[in-house]
Amino acid sequence: MMFIHIGNNQVIHVDDIVIIMDYQILDTSPVMKKMLQKAEQEGKIKEKLTDFKSIIITDDLIYYSTLSVATLNKRSRKQLMFNKENSDLLLNDGP
């Protein structure tokens, strides 16, 4: 299982991530604003921040992060590379 630290003491499972998007999308997309308002009413926003840089939508919840989209993408790629390297080692460590 691969996890990613998204800031604010939050760690989520990489496979649960649907999309990571820049907070500025809220300025240009009334549809996204409406979707987030509805999610907030339904209690699906994990922790609402006022100073955030990105929005992470997972299968079940929506997270706000103080980390940029670029930083989160780098972290997820590092996790994928790390786990791929470990699985290769496990596959090659036979008798």
Side-chain angles (χ1 to χ4, degrees):
M1 290 215 262
M2 298 179 287
F3 293 90
I4 181 173
H5 180 264
I6 61 168
N8 315 324
N9 296 318
Q10 298 284 330
V11 178
I12 59 175
H13 195 273
V14 172
D15 292 340
D16 291 342
I17 296 172
V18 175
I19 189 168
I20 300 172
M21 59 186 158
D22 193 275
Y23 76 98
Q24 292 177 339
I25 190 123
L26 296 177
D27 294 334
T28 59
S29 175
V31 173
M32 284 303 303
K33 262 187 190 174
K34 207 173 217 180
M35 185 194 83
L36 290 173
Q37 288 171 348
K38 183 177 181 198
E40 186 174 6
Q41 291 170 352
E42 294 173 354
K44 292 187 176 185
I45 294 182
K46 184 67 174 172
E47 179 182 355
K48 185 151 184 183
L49 303 172
T50 54
D51 184 29
F52 62 96
K53 295 180 182 177
S54 59
I55 302 165
I56 301 111
I57 298 177
T58 67
D59 294 332
D60 301 318
L61 295 170
I62 297 173
Y63 298 84
Y64 290 87
S65 176
T66 55
L67 302 176
S68 71
V69 171
T71 299
L72 292 169
N73 281 332
K74 286 178 193 174
R75 288 184 178 191
S76 66
R77 279 197 298 265
K78 284 181 184 178
Q79 286 293 329
L80 290 172
M81 288 189 308
F82 176 75
N83 284 313
K84 182 182 180 325
E85 289 170 7
N86 284 344
S87 67
D88 288 347
L89 290 174
L90 291 173
L91 293 173
N92 294 329
D93 280 348

